[in-house]
Amino acid sequence: MTTVRVAWSGITGAKTEALATANADCASKGKAMLLGDIRSSECMMRGGCAEAQIVYSCLDGDDPRYQEPRMQRGPDSLIQIQGPSY
């Protein structure tokens, strides 16, 4: 897990920095980063402070968990087309 707090770059900057930190950590081990969860919030301090927390794993590129199906979003609607009833 990595937590990053940044000033003046907002939530997007905090997420970007946290992801970059996790990617660098895994790359230093010769592995690929698999994101588990990401959360972000504004800090209580005035002036544009934000915080991002990510949970990740460092995996080998051929690890089956790196190709995990739950990372793919399934359809959220089903449309059935029926012909006319005579």
Side-chain angles (χ1 to χ4, degrees):
M1 179 168 57
T2 295
T3 301
V4 174
R5 181 174 289 172
V6 295
W8 312 115
S9 61
I11 289 175
T12 302
K15 286 181 180 180
T16 300
E17 189 170 328
L19 289 169
T21 301
N23 275 313
D25 175 44
C26 292
S28 73
K29 298 172 184 172
K31 298 189 180 281
M33 192 267 292
L34 176 65
L35 180 63
D37 188 31
I38 187 165
R39 296 170 193 247
S40 57
S41 62
E42 294 287 333
C43 298
M44 299 302 286
M45 182 178 87
R46 292 178 59 188
C49 176
E51 181 175 87
Q53 184 178 68
I54 64 171
V55 176
Y56 65 96
S57 300
C58 296
L59 305 174
D60 291 323
D62 60 351
D63 189 310
R65 292 174 295 167
Y66 193 64
Q67 308 293 327
E68 193 168 359
R70 73 175 177 85
M71 299 299 287
Q72 299 174 3
R73 183 175 177 190
D76 56 354
S77 299
L78 177 63
I79 299 171
Q80 293 181 346
I81 301 173
Q82 298 178 350
S85 50
Y86 297 101

